[in-house]
Amino acid sequence: MKTIVTATEAARRFGDLLAEIKHAGRSVEITKNGEAIATLQPVRRAGGMTLKEFAALWADGADTPSFAEDLERINAADQPPANPWA
């Protein structure tokens, strides 16, 4: 899902937009004078997989021989966040 905001709104809500990108996985398109000038989107992590990518794998390859290996790879990449108070 993509959110569209003006440059002025992006400047005012930058922190909120970053949180939306990080936690909801949304892309943000920034416009100026009605023209799209930039897109902010989540960074793809090495070894990670988005929910959309997983859904595509599930739909396209649930019956393939390597499916169990794919699930193991996904599970191995799913690490809990570090505890900032540790």
Side-chain angles (χ1 to χ4, degrees):
M1 175 181 251
K2 179 170 46 173
T3 301
I4 300 173
V5 298
T6 65
T8 302
E9 183 180 358
R12 289 181 182 151
R13 296 186 44 223
F14 192 67
D16 292 336
L17 293 174
L18 289 179
E20 187 175 322
I21 292 165
K22 180 179 180 181
H23 299 293
R26 292 193 178 113
S27 295
V28 177
E29 183 176 288
I30 301 172
T31 63
K32 187 166 187 168
N33 298 324
E35 180 181 347
I37 58 170
T39 301
L40 300 174
Q41 60 189 24
V43 174
R44 294 190 67 144
R45 304 272 184 228
M49 181 177 294
T50 66
L51 183 58
K52 187 175 185 177
E53 291 169 335
F54 175 75
L57 270 179
W58 183 270
D60 294 338
D63 59 347
T64 62
S66 66
F67 184 67
E69 294 170 10
D70 292 338
L71 286 178
E72 289 295 326
R73 184 176 52 84
I74 292 166
N75 285 334
D78 186 23
Q79 300 295 319
N83 183 349
W85 293 279

